Amino acid sequence: TEIAGPAGVGKTQLALTMCADSVVLNQKAVYLLLGGTNMMGTLSYRLEMMLLARTNLLEKVQESRRTRRPSPTTNIPSSPFNTATATTTTTATGGVTLEQIDQWLSNIFMQWIRNSEDLLELLSTRLPKFLASHPPQSIRIIVLDGIAQLFRHNEDLSGKKPLMEYWQARSVTFFKVAGLCKQLSDQFQVPIVILNQ
């Protein structure tokens, strides 16, 4: 599924909400930030705040942070192979602790993909292995955030080769990405959401 729209309309917020919903339901999510600059710390912090707000822990954590100010990225893995560690046991109504929040965050696997070559390699090799290593349908959603960002920084390369050749190569890459996403979705029965500006 592709969600397209201008900047600032809430595409990323919607995708983060779907990831947060997944882990609260004891499933997992994969979030791939494509191109542009590395904003993983900001996205991690937004996810943490979303989960805290759902459990009535937000006010307790904010009060605690006023005095100790930890890094906003300490509770979430930066790649599919890291795990989070829990350090606090503050409890919200309903019995949810910060330890549980840390566990939820460790089930959202996030990675920054710098260019289209890395994305194609991940979709064709690493992601299938990763999905195969998990029980069927335990990964609830895969998000590719910012597909157009992979090409914006390369537009200056269009002057180094005939314009038609540049656009054809770009089109071929998009078709490859779409094909690999459909294949992965069918094979592992996991929805894939692509955000496009």
Side-chain angles (χ1 to χ4, degrees):
T1 301
E2 180 184 21
I3 300 173
V9 298
K11 300 181 303 293
T12 295
Q13 186 70 15
L14 178 63
L16 292 174
T17 299
M18 289 187 279
C19 290
D21 288 344
S22 298
V23 296
V24 169
L25 295 171
N26 296 316
Q27 292 181 293
K28 298 177 181 180
V30 175
Y31 197 99
L32 304 174
L33 179 64
L34 308 178
T37 57
N38 187 350
M39 296 177 42
M40 298 305 288
T42 301
L43 294 174
S44 301
Y45 182 74
R46 284 171 67 180
L47 272 168
E48 184 179 20
M49 291 300 104
M50 292 169 97
L51 290 168
L52 289 168
R54 290 165 188 233
T55 59
N56 300 319
L57 281 168
L58 185 57
E59 288 182 13
K60 293 180 181 182
V61 169
Q62 287 175 331
E63 180 61 34
S64 172
R65 284 188 173 164
R66 286 188 189 104
T67 58
R68 58 183 176 89
R69 295 179 183 261
S71 165
T73 60
T74 54
N75 293 329
I76 195 158
S78 60
S79 80
F81 309 105
N82 292 342
T83 58
T85 57
T87 56
T88 316
T89 56
T90 302
T91 304
T93 56
V96 176
T97 64
L98 288 180
E99 193 172 63
Q100 179 63 59
I101 298 289
D102 288 341
Q103 180 59 47
W104 283 340
L105 288 169
S106 73
N107 286 325
I108 303 172
F109 305 103
M110 303 181 79
Q111 191 160 351
W112 178 41
I113 306 297
R114 292 169 179 77
N115 54 56
S116 57
E117 293 80 14
D118 288 349
L119 177 61
L120 288 170
E121 190 273 330
L122 181 126
L123 292 174
S124 62
T125 307
R126 288 186 289 145
L127 193 53
K129 288 179 183 176
F130 176 74
L131 294 171
S133 71
H134 288 79
Q137 299 182 335
S138 64
I139 307 290
R140 189 166 191 245
I141 190 168
I142 297 171
V143 174
L144 280 67
D145 186 352
I147 190 84
Q149 292 282 11
L150 290 176
F151 298 93
R152 287 204 178 110
H153 68 284
N154 284 334
E155 287 185 355
D156 60 330
L157 299 178
S158 61
K160 298 179 182 177
K161 61 172 77 172
L163 192 57
M164 184 58 73
E165 183 181 332
Y166 169 77
W167 287 107
Q168 285 174 341
R170 182 170 152 162
S171 179
V172 166
T173 301
F174 275 122
F175 275 108
K176 285 181 182 176
V177 168
L180 287 168
C181 285
K182 288 178 183 178
Q183 181 181 338
L184 285 171
S185 184
D186 287 344
Q187 181 179 354
F188 295 100
Q189 295 299 294
V190 57
I192 298 178
V193 175
I194 298 175
L195 307 184
N196 195 0
Q197 195 178 91

